[in-house]
Amino acid sequence: MGERIVSPCVGVCSTTLGDRVCRGCQRTDSEIRDWPAYSGGERRARLADIDRLRAEIAARYLAVEDEALLETQLQRYRIRFRADQPALSRAVELLRVGRGRIQELARYGLAGHDHQDAASLHAAIARDLLAAVDRRLSTSFDSTDLPTP
């Protein structure tokens, strides 16, 4: 029996609305479609790519000042995360879920670079994430996306 690798799905798939990139998990429609067929190594690699992209983009807007506090708050609010997930990728999830309720980022172990509120940070990060994945899509050629004759 193969090892179980959790899907990065967060239950808000926008590909069902016609988006090529999911606003929730940042996977492309073909990656979502093909996820069950991926090997454990392919899944781990894709999760690492998503984490790397989230961390890179989130670092433009905020810093994690207390990883333990961030993890405590994620657990408190039952926000799913992985043990190997980088803190900034975890912060993206926290902002996605709590952007309308978080009043003080410091209470979650975070600090915004420009004193933006959680909702503004989430909007900026989400915008940049989608743009980055869209750029990747426009520069790659995936033959599995071609219509069959």
Side-chain angles (χ1 to χ4, degrees):
M1 188 157 134
E3 109 186 77
R4 186 172 185 279
I5 309 240
V6 178
S7 165
C9 179
V10 295
V12 292
C13 192
S14 64
T15 62
T16 60
L17 303 174
D19 289 344
R20 289 273 336 263
V21 177
C22 177
R23 296 173 187 273
C25 69
Q26 290 81 50
R27 290 181 296 166
T28 65
D29 53 358
S30 61
E31 289 169 332
I32 292 167
R33 178 194 66 219
D34 297 341
W35 187 263
Y38 287 172
S39 69
E42 289 169 320
R43 290 179 183 190
R44 275 191 300 282
R46 187 62 196 117
L47 287 171
D49 289 345
I50 291 168
D51 285 337
R52 197 171 15 262
L53 180 63
R54 286 178 177 177
E56 175 187 317
I57 289 174
R60 298 174 189 170
Y61 299 97
L62 73 150
V64 176
E65 294 187 332
D66 187 334
E67 287 187 38
L69 181 56
L70 173 61
E71 185 170 327
T72 298
Q73 293 288 29
L74 288 165
Q75 291 170 346
R76 177 179 177 204
Y77 292 104
R78 297 186 176 126
I79 298 170
R80 189 177 76 170
F81 65 93
R82 299 179 328 278
D84 65 337
Q85 188 174 8
L88 278 168
S89 182
R90 291 177 179 189
V92 171
E93 280 304 299
L94 176 72
L95 292 173
R96 182 187 62 77
V97 173
R99 65 186 175 268
R101 296 182 298 267
I102 295 173
Q103 299 299 314
E104 296 176 47
L105 289 171
R107 295 181 71 187
Y108 297 84
L110 304 175
H113 296 325
D114 294 325
H115 306 290
Q116 291 177 295
D117 63 14
S120 299
L121 286 168
H122 173 264
I125 291 168
R127 178 196 64 229
D128 288 1
L129 278 170
L130 289 177
V133 179
D134 278 339
R135 279 192 303 278
R136 183 174 63 101
L137 271 175
S138 67
T139 60
S140 68
F141 176 78
D142 185 353
S143 62
T144 62
D145 290 335
L146 293 176
T148 54

